Amino acid sequence: MSAVKFPQLPTSGVLSLRGSLLAIALLTLVSFTYLSLRSLTPPLYTSQSPSGTLIASDPKVADSEQLSDVYHSPEVFRLNYAEMEKRFKVYIYTDGDPKTFYQTPRKLTGKYASEGYFFQNIRESSFRTQDPDQADLFFIPISCHKMRGKGTSYENMTIIVQTYVESLISKYPYWNRTLGADHFFVTCHDVGVRATEGLPLLVKNAIRVVCSPSYDVGYIPHKDIALPQVLQPFALPAGGNDTENRTSLGFWAGHRNSRIRVILARVWENDTELDISNNRINRATGHLVYQKRFYRTKFCICPGGSQVNSARITDSIHYGCIPVILSNYYDLPFNDILDWRKFAVVLKESDVYQLKQILKNIPYENFVILHNNLVKIQKHYQWNTPPVKYDAFHMVMYDLWIRHHVIKY
C-alpha cells in the first residue's frame, strides 16, 4: 500500500489556513484507518487473578466452549468462571446449633427453596474450605426461612440475628479485618430483610444475597446479589423450541397484593387477547392448569408482588414463556452477567396501560429470537443437588467471586 503524502509546509513557517485544514484532515483519516485495522485483530481477553491482576488469554488457545451474546461479555464470563472454579474458597462459620436456625436449611421445596439449595450446595461443594486463612469470603449460615418456619416472631428474629453475628465478631478476627465486607449471608424470604434490621453494620457492610432486591429496603446493587426465587421442584419439564405452539399473547394469574397487580387486573382482566386473572387458578379446574398455560403463551406477565421479587419470573424462564418484567427498581437475578433484554421484555410499571399494544408490536421474528435466547439461559435458573456447572448455585457463586474482586477493603 503506498504511503500517504502530506502537504508540504510553506517555507515562510506560517501555514495557510487551507493547508492546515488539509493536513488535519489527512492525519485524521490515517488515524481512523489505523484504528480500524487494529479492531480487526483478535484481542487478548483478560480475567482476574485472586490478587486482582489481569491475566491475558489468547483466544487461539482458548477451549472450544462458546457462549452467545446473551451475556454482556461472553468471553470474559467464560474465563472468569474458569478462574472461579479453580481458586474461589469460602469459609463457613461452624458456630450455631444445626437443630435450630443455623447451618441447615428448612427445606428444598417451595418458592423459597433457593435458600435451602444454597445452604446444602455450599457445604458439599469444592468451594468450601476448612481453613479460614485460605478463604476469600466468609459465609454467615443463619436461615431466616427456618426461623419463619418455626414461628419465630419478627422481634425475636432480629434479636437472634444480632446476637449470633455479634458473637462471631467477638470470637473471630475475620470480621474486624474488613468490617464485614468479605462476609455474606443468604436469605430467600421477605423476613430476611426484617430479621437483619437490628444490625445496621451487617446490612451496610456485608454482601446480602437476597430474593427481595428492592431498593426501598436498602438493597445496594453493586454490593448485594439478587438470588433467583425458584419454585422447586418444577411441576413439568422445561419448555423450549416450541414457538409454533404458543398462540396466546400474554398470561398472568395471581393475587392482587401490590399496586401494579391491582392496576394490571383492573385494566386487562376482561381483555380477549391477554389472559389476565386477578386470582390464582384454582386447582379444582384441572391438574397443573396454571403451569400448562405457560406452554401455550408467548409472553408471561411478571408484575412485582408485595416485594418486587416473584417466582413467576423463573417459572416463565423454565417453561419457555418470555417474561415481561413489569416492576420498577428491580435488580434482576444475574443482571450483571446476562443481558435480560435479549430474552425478556423489561417495562416500567407505567407501561401497564399500553401493555397489549407493546406486546403486539413485537415482530414474530423478534419473538423467536427472544425465545431461543431464553432456552439458552434456562440452566442458570435451575437448582440442582449436587450442583452442576452454570446452574443457579454456580451463578450465585460467580457473582460472589466478582464482588470479592470489585469490592475493595
Side-chain angles (χ1 to χ4, degrees), residues 325-386:
I325 311 301
L326 196 59
S327 178
N328 295 340
Y329 313 118
Y330 188 4
D331 193 55
L332 293 160
F334 315 138
N335 190 42
D336 51 348
I337 306 169
L338 301 169
D339 186 349
W340 272 73
R341 295 185 185 277
K342 296 285 181 65
F343 59 88
V345 178
V346 182
L347 303 176
K348 303 185 297 293
E349 290 185 359
S350 58
D351 291 326
V352 66
Y353 301 100
Q354 294 82 39
L355 179 61
K356 184 170 75 170
Q357 198 57 48
I358 290 172
L359 299 182
K360 293 185 72 172
N361 285 344
I362 298 175
Y364 181 77
E365 55 270 24
N366 289 10
F367 157 68
V368 172
I369 292 172
L370 288 170
H371 176 81
N372 291 339
N373 286 337
L374 189 70
V375 174
K376 294 176 184 177
I377 59 90
Q378 285 174 330
K379 59 190 174 185
H380 298 319
Y381 297 89
Q382 172 72 52
W383 292 89
N384 303 284
T385 180

Side-chain angles (χ1 to χ4, degrees), residues 219-280:
Y219 180 85
I220 305 172
H222 68 273
K223 175 181 74 74
D224 300 329
I225 295 171
L227 184 69
Q229 187 173 12
V230 182
L231 186 62
Q232 295 272 159
F234 289 110
L236 295 170
N241 305 315
D242 54 1
T243 53
E244 67 281 357
N245 297 330
R246 298 180 180 275
T247 55
S248 177
L249 178 63
F251 167 62
W252 175 78
H255 291 323
R256 292 186 291 180
N257 56 354
S258 67
R259 176 178 174 274
I260 185 59
R261 291 186 176 191
V262 170
I263 296 174
L264 175 67
R266 187 180 70 237
V267 175
W268 298 110
E269 64 180 331
N270 295 318
D271 192 83
T272 57
E273 294 179 274
L274 291 178
D275 183 5
I276 305 296
S277 174
N278 64 5
N279 284 298
R280 291 181 180 175

Side-chain angles (χ1 to χ4, degrees), residues 70 84 95 129 331 344:
V70 74
M84 172 199 73
D95 305 68
T129 177
D331 193 55

Side-chain angles (χ1 to χ4, degrees), residues 82-339:
E83 182 88 354
M84 172 199 73
E85 286 186 310
K86 294 177 184 176
R87 303 183 184 276
F88 195 23
K89 295 300 176 185
V90 172
Y91 179 75
I92 305 174
Y93 284 107
T94 56
D95 305 68
D97 181 3
K99 294 181 180 179
T100 53
F101 317 115
Y102 313 98
Q103 309 298 333
T104 58
R106 179 184 174 192
K107 58 181 181 178
L108 299 180
T109 57
K111 63 181 179 179
Y112 301 116
S114 296
E115 177 184 310
Y117 270 94
F118 186 89
F119 270 70
Q120 179 163 315
N121 288 168
I122 189 65
R123 287 201 317 269
E124 301 171 352
S125 76
S126 61
F127 297 114
R128 183 178 186 179
T129 177
Q130 302 292 341
D131 183 359
D133 292 326
Q134 299 298 317
D136 299 300
L137 292 179
F138 294 80
F139 178 38
I140 302 172
I142 186 167
S143 175
C144 296
H145 187 210
K146 201 168 184 179
M147 285 191 280
R148 174 71 169 179
K150 289 182 175 291
T152 309
S153 68
Y154 289 124
E155 293 75 15
N156 285 337
M157 287 183 191
T158 302
I159 296 171
I160 291 168
V161 172
Q162 180 178 356
T163 302
Y164 180 61
V165 176
E166 288 178 346
S167 71
L168 299 180
I169 294 173
S170 62
K171 182 177 179 180
Y172 299 95
Y174 310 113
W175 177 283
N176 290 324
R177 295 185 310 187
T178 65
L179 296 180
D182 58 356
H183 285 57
F184 71 95
F185 67 94
V186 176
T187 177
C188 193
H189 198 295
D190 300 346
V191 300
V193 174
R194 298 186 63 175
T196 54
E197 289 176 345
L199 204 59
L201 57 84
L202 178 66
V203 175
K204 179 181 178 182
N205 295 350
I207 301 170
R208 298 191 298 166
V209 185
V210 295
C211 277
S212 302
S214 177
Y215 299 167
D216 60 1
V217 293
Y219 180 85
I220 305 172
H222 68 273
K223 175 181 74 74
D224 300 329
I225 295 171
L227 184 69
Q229 187 173 12
V230 182
L231 186 62
Q232 295 272 159
F234 289 110
L236 295 170
N241 305 315
D242 54 1
T243 53
E244 67 281 357
N245 297 330
R246 298 180 180 275
T247 55
S248 177
L249 178 63
F251 167 62
W252 175 78
H255 291 323
R256 292 186 291 180
N257 56 354
S258 67
R259 176 178 174 274
I260 185 59
R261 291 186 176 191
V262 170
I263 296 174
L264 175 67
R266 187 180 70 237
V267 175
W268 298 110
E269 64 180 331
N270 295 318
D271 192 83
T272 57
E273 294 179 274
L274 291 178
D275 183 5
I276 305 296
S277 174
N278 64 5
N279 284 298
R280 291 181 180 175
I281 296 176
N282 194 314
R283 292 180 181 178
T285 60
H287 184 57
L288 299 176
V289 170
Y290 174 76
Q291 289 83 355
K292 290 175 183 177
R293 294 273 183 93
F294 285 87
Y295 282 138
R296 64 171 186 261
T297 305
K298 294 179 179 178
F299 301 98
C300 288
I301 320 303
C302 303
S306 55
Q307 291 288 335
V308 297
N309 58 297
S310 171
R312 184 175 286 100
I313 294 176
T314 50
D315 277 346
S316 301
I317 293 172
H318 175 76
Y319 294 117
C321 184
I322 308 302
V324 179
I325 311 301
L326 196 59
S327 178
N328 295 340
Y329 313 118
Y330 188 4
D331 193 55
L332 293 160
F334 315 138
N335 190 42
D336 51 348
I337 306 169
L338 301 169
D339 186 349

